[in-house]
Amino acid sequence: MKQDYIKFPLHLIFHPIEAYWDLKSDNRGRLLVAFSALALTIIMMILQKQYAGFLVNYIDPRTINSIIEIATVAVPFFLWCMANWAVTTLMEGEGKFREIFLATGYSLIPVILIYAPMIVISRFMVQEETAFYYLFNSIAFFWFLLLLFIGMMTVHQYTVIKTIITMLLTVIVMGIIVFLGALVFSMLQQLYEFGYNIYRELIFRT
Amino acid sequence: MARTVKRWLVLLAAVSLLLVNAVPAAASPAPYESYNYNYWQEAVPSPDAYLPQRTISGSDLGIGEFKDPGDVNVSPSGQIYILDSGNNRLVVLDSDYKLLRVVEGFMMDGSKESFNAPGGLFVDEEERVYIADTGNSRVVVLDAEGKLIHTITKPESDIIATNAQFQPLKLTVDRVGRLYVVAQGVYEGIMQFDEHGQFIGYVGTNKVERDYGEYIWRMLSTKAQRAQMVLFVPTEFSNVDIDSKGFVYATNIDPGSNEPIKRLNPSGEDVLKRFGYFDVKGDVRFRNNPGPSKLIDVKVLGNGMYSVLDATQNRVFTYDDEGHLLYVYGGKGNQVGTLKTPVAMEQSGDHQLVLDRGKNNLVIYEPTRFGASVNEAVALHYQGEDTEAVHIWQEVLKLNANYDIAYIGIGKSLLMEKKNEEALGYFELGMDRKSYSVAFKRHRREMMKEHLGTFLTLAIALIFILILARVAVKWRRRRQMDREAGLH
């Protein structure tokens, strides 16, 4: 239990190349861990906006909305997984959807591990020390990007160049999915309006 | 029993109704809405700082209506000079707004001269009147009796084009008699003349703001196209005033500028302090009103404060010396207190005056309790009397709990008294991160000083106990072993 759910994720963020391979070949990834990482990231984002120290917190407290916070993390996350699966399936990637999901979820762990203490520490910082706060936030972000990159490379068994290309393509496909979604949504809405208008005409003509 | 309770309830209801009627819902007596910008740049309603008291027109004074009045100035002795440009005359009032005299013209070289559409005037400490006689292309300097001292016509200088017109619009004079003139079509800056009327040079130029889109567009176009393009010249100044230290305040009406107010030092550099949360440029957010403020007059009020007059929304904005917006009053309209076409603003005692060309009258504004308190507190802060300012800031906060500057003022005073922890809360309310950081640093150091000793003592004691315990355990174990070996 402890081995798979706590020790392995912590081992993974420091030794990503071999650990991602274990995740794929030995089936050591756990969906629960990936989902918890996503949930905890969302919680950390909300906590940071609400509780980070006054000197680093430039958020208007009246504008914090938990639903929007959830959407801004969760929607791109699932979009990434879907788009990446779509792209890599066409480009001879070896990863299954489950593995893509696991790799993406596990790569969020450093964000959680760095954000949590930084929220507390930022409350005891003065202006000159806030540089460290921003430094550590950037480290968290770049660590996440690095893990995501290695994860994708290992899961799909790609070369470096091909990983970069597929990641860029994934971002483009994410945009296309959003566009198509908006298109379908707007068409459905117009279809509904059309039907509703016909219904109204019929009602008022009788 | 139940009946008495009922009777009491009825009585209570009646009394409460009476009390509700006794205090009418106080509607603002001002014909405009006062507001101030908060940290998030939202216009938040604020109590009125100034209320219109009355207006003065030419017929009130019995001298016929004003016609297109151009400027108003209050001399250091308190006399109010109104430049009635359309009638080419100068109207002088005393500080109670009673007519003193009307100046129609002056004698020059034995003949009677009159003004022609004069645009600006200034009165110095010796009641000398400087008039920018725009239509006659000259500046006229009269003494207190209305006798001519000298006139300044177009200066002869290498740096002025020979075919250029000299049409002075606004002017101001410093303590030693140097004259600063804003003239029409002069982009080089403010013209500076010495006390004898000799041209010295230009001070302070508005910089041309380069737009990169425009720059690229220019690179791509042909020579013929470029010749038809708009020429980029610096904007002109719209008005000038001078403070007691000799710094010239100038406004310009460049709509794209974020620094339309300048405070020029003697070498012409802009030294206005802009420490507020947003630009010193009148309105900072335009959701329901069009465009940026067009600042057409500036008046130095003393104690570092200055007011500017906005011709877009016809409002007066007042700032303190650090660039915080103190209050806003005025507005468009036809009632007493709202303005049609304001052209100039002044201060007379604690009253503020705005000259309205559209309605041909002078509007007199009186400070409210809120406005007077703010003025007093800002003055005390400017003079360094922060502890005395605290009581007045607290008074201001009772009238307007959204007043950030008051929170910061109280916080700074607490910081001075070394009450760092209390200051933290005030700085957070005033959203002053810089001062908050200073207060927090001191507070943190104090906490460390106070508790580090206890902490270290405890830590050393703990380590000592641990070592002792270990030694004891070892000693006992050895004893045990010895006993088992039968040594005892």
Side-chain angles (χ1 to χ4, degrees):
Chain A
M1 174 78 189
K2 197 182 165 197
Q3 190 63 32
D4 274 357
Y5 289 92
I6 294 166
K7 273 202 171 159
F8 178 69
L10 290 180
H11 173 72
L12 179 135
I13 61 172
F14 293 109
H15 306 91
I17 296 177
E18 49 166 293
Y20 270 120
W21 177 245
D22 290 349
L23 180 140
K24 188 180 163 69
S25 61
D26 296 356
N27 198 21
R28 295 192 61 185
R30 294 285 173 271
L31 278 177
L32 183 65
V33 177
F35 272 114
S36 326
L38 179 61
L40 282 173
T41 309
I42 293 168
I43 290 171
M44 284 305 149
M45 292 283 193
I46 297 172
L47 286 181
Q48 193 192 49
K49 286 196 171 162
Q50 180 79 49
Y51 294 111
F54 175 63
L55 292 176
V56 292
N57 196 343
Y58 288 88
I59 306 287
D60 185 349
R62 294 166 300 171
T63 62
I64 302 175
N65 181 342
S66 297
I67 304 290
I68 289 173
E69 292 303 316
I70 292 170
T72 47
V73 182
V75 169
F77 184 87
F78 288 112
L79 262 182
W80 167 270
C81 294
M82 281 195 286
N84 192 267
W85 176 78
V87 170
T88 52
T89 309
L90 294 174
M91 292 183 71
E92 296 148 358
E94 286 179 16
K96 303 185 200 107
F97 185 79
R98 182 171 179 271
E99 286 163 8
I100 297 170
F101 182 81
L102 287 174
T104 315
Y106 273 71
S107 60
L108 283 172
I109 292 167
V111 176
I112 304 161
L113 291 184
I114 292 180
Y115 271 29
M118 285 325 278
I119 293 168
V120 179
I121 294 169
S122 72
R123 299 181 72 88
F124 299 99
M125 281 179 168
V126 298
Q127 196 100 58
E128 300 93 271
E129 293 151 11
T130 56
F132 288 102
Y133 174 80
Y134 297 116
L135 175 74
F136 277 98
N137 277 4
S138 320
I139 288 176
F141 179 70
F142 285 109
W143 198 347
F144 156 72
L145 276 190
L146 184 75
L147 287 183
L148 187 66
F149 174 76
I150 294 174
M152 289 297 125
M153 203 164 79
T154 319
V155 161
H156 297 302
Q157 291 292 299
Y158 276 163
T159 58
V160 172
I161 303 291
K162 202 168 180 187
T163 315
I164 294 172
I165 292 170
T166 48
M167 283 174 85
L168 289 178
L169 275 176
T170 305
V171 174
I172 294 168
V173 171
M174 280 165 77
I176 295 173
I177 293 176
V178 169
F179 173 72
L180 288 178
L183 201 70
V184 168
F185 185 74
S186 123
M187 290 225 308
L188 281 179
Q189 200 173 13
Q190 285 186 11
L191 215 62
Y192 165 76
E193 289 275 305
F194 177 70
Y196 183 65
N197 279 338
I198 287 178
Y199 164 76
R200 257 201 332 203
E201 287 288 328
L202 289 174
I203 288 295
F204 289 132
R205 292 284 157 117
T206 48
Chain B
M1 181 62 197
R3 236 176 119 180
T4 19
V5 170
K6 217 182 218 170
R7 199 176 285 167
W8 272 107
L9 275 178
V10 169
L11 195 69
L12 199 72
V15 168
S16 66
L17 267 177
L18 273 175
L19 282 177
V20 164
N21 284 339
V23 186
S28 165
Y32 41 77
E33 286 176 331
S34 294
Y35 60 89
N36 203 329
Y37 289 100
N38 68 4
Y39 176 79
W40 312 105
Q41 304 206 350
E42 297 162 321
V44 182
S46 148
D48 299 310
Y50 278 83
L51 287 177
Q53 188 205 31
R54 58 186 277 218
T55 62
I56 289 175
S57 65
S59 54
D60 293 339
L61 300 166
I63 50 168
E65 288 293 348
F66 294 140
K67 195 176 163 202
D68 293 337
D71 206 356
V72 58
N73 202 279
V74 176
S75 73
S77 66
Q79 292 185 5
I80 298 155
Y81 289 71
I82 300 169
L83 193 62
D84 192 2
S85 309
N87 292 324
N88 295 325
R89 64 183 177 181
L90 184 64
V91 179
V92 188
L93 313 178
D94 66 9
S95 51
D96 296 322
Y97 310 106
K98 299 273 187 313
L99 184 69
L100 282 179
R101 62 180 189 273
V102 178
V103 180
E104 299 270 5
F106 54 94
M107 298 297 286
M108 187 163 93
D109 301 333
S111 60
K112 189 148 175 54
E113 285 268 334
S114 60
F115 308 114
N116 184 5
L121 90 160
F122 185 84
V123 187
D124 72 4
E125 277 154 14
E126 289 157 47
E127 297 288 323
R128 276 190 297 238
V129 188
Y130 297 75
I131 296 166
D133 195 359
T134 316
N136 288 330
S137 303
R138 63 182 177 192
V139 173
V140 177
V141 187
L142 304 175
D143 67 9
E145 277 84 49
K147 286 202 190 74
L148 180 76
I149 299 173
H150 64 257
T151 63
I152 298 166
T153 49
K154 190 192 160 197
E156 297 289 326
S157 171
D158 297 341
I159 54 172
I160 296 172
T162 39
N163 57 353
Q165 293 278 316
F166 175 61
Q167 288 186 316
L169 289 174
K170 302 285 174 189
L171 47 79
T172 191
V173 181
D174 70 7
R175 212 183 292 154
V176 294
R178 266 193 302 256
L179 204 67
Y180 298 87
V181 179
V182 172
Q184 200 165 32
V186 173
Y187 307 108
E188 289 91 339
I190 300 166
M191 300 176 94
Q192 197 183 13
F193 296 89
D194 69 9
E195 65 273 28
H196 307 299
Q198 281 297 316
F199 180 64
I200 304 172
Y202 297 106
V203 282
T205 314
N206 290 315
K207 286 199 183 71
V208 182
E209 308 247 328
R210 263 248 147 99
D211 182 355
Y212 283 99
E214 199 70 41
Y215 191 72
I216 294 166
W217 194 240
R218 261 183 118 73
M219 276 195 343
L220 295 174
S221 32
T222 62
K223 211 169 188 181
Q225 284 172 328
R226 234 174 288 166
Q228 292 206 328
M229 277 183 187
V230 192
L231 199 64
F232 286 98
V233 289
T235 47
E236 300 164 69
F237 285 101
S238 58
N239 217 320
V240 280
D241 198 19
I242 200 154
D243 69 6
S244 56
K245 290 177 187 166
F247 288 87
V248 176
Y249 285 71
T251 50
N252 67 60
I253 49 175
D254 183 359
S257 173
N258 281 332
E259 296 175 352
I261 307 165
K262 289 189 169 69
R263 182 173 186 245
L264 303 169
N265 69 4
S267 52
E269 286 159 53
D270 179 19
V271 291
L272 192 77
K273 290 183 192 166
R274 296 181 175 89
F275 297 152
Y277 300 128
F278 38 84
D279 295 322
V280 182
K281 62 169 191 177
D283 275 315
V284 289
R285 198 163 177 182
F286 335 107
R287 197 166 53 202
N288 299 324
N289 50 8
S293 297
K294 188 175 153 194
L295 305 178
I296 53 162
D297 197 5
V298 54
K299 171 66 193 169
V300 179
L301 308 175
N303 290 319
M305 290 188 279
Y306 52 94
S307 288
V308 287
L309 179 64
D310 157 36
T312 310
Q313 291 293 315
N314 300 352
R315 292 190 186 118
V316 176
F317 296 84
T318 304
Y319 293 90
D320 71 3
D321 74 310
E322 287 160 12
H324 296 112
L325 181 60
L326 296 175
Y327 40 76
V328 183
Y329 69 87
K332 271 183 179 170
N334 273 318
Q335 301 104 311
V336 170
T338 54
L339 305 159
K340 219 166 167 185
T341 317
V343 287
M345 74 147 307
E346 256 300 326
Q347 188 185 33
S348 166
D350 58 351
H351 291 174
Q352 296 210 336
L353 319 173
V354 178
L355 191 64
D356 193 340
R357 172 175 281 174
K359 287 193 276 187
N360 288 323
N361 62 13
L362 184 72
V363 190
I364 296 154
Y365 292 92
E366 212 176 25
T368 61
R369 197 169 135 219
F370 173 69
S373 306
V374 170
N375 287 345
E376 198 181 346
V378 170
L380 284 171
H381 172 66
Y382 184 74
Q383 289 151 11
E385 311 279 352
D386 279 300
T387 17
E388 279 162 55
V390 166
H391 307 289
I392 301 157
W393 281 133
Q394 265 149 2
E395 168 91 9
V396 168
L397 282 179
K398 271 180 213 156
L399 300 165
N400 181 7
N402 288 328
Y403 209 65
D404 289 356
I405 310 159
Y407 288 116
I408 298 171
I410 296 174
K412 281 190 174 157
S413 166
L414 287 171
L415 193 63
M416 219 88 89
E417 292 168 32
K418 298 202 170 130
K419 292 177 185 163
N420 301 319
E421 199 176 359
E422 289 164 60
L424 285 177
Y426 280 100
F427 287 134
E428 199 168 346
L429 282 169
M431 300 301 275
D432 186 348
R433 290 200 161 80
K434 223 179 199 169
S435 309
Y436 180 93
S437 176
V438 173
F440 186 71
K441 200 174 191 174
R442 295 186 189 171
H443 175 59
R444 200 175 62 175
R445 196 187 298 144
E446 269 172 22
M447 285 289 118
M448 295 267 256
K449 256 187 201 162
E450 201 176 321
H451 296 299
L452 194 67
T454 339
F455 176 74
L456 280 182
T457 313
L458 276 177
I460 290 170
L462 203 70
I463 292 168
F464 194 66
I465 290 169
L466 277 177
I467 292 172
L468 266 185
R470 248 186 124 152
V471 169
V473 165
K474 249 185 196 167
W475 183 71
R476 194 179 273 178
R477 200 174 284 159
R478 190 182 291 162
R479 240 175 94 112
Q480 189 99 25
M481 271 159 72
D482 286 357
R483 190 171 293 161
E484 274 166 18
L487 287 176
H488 281 282

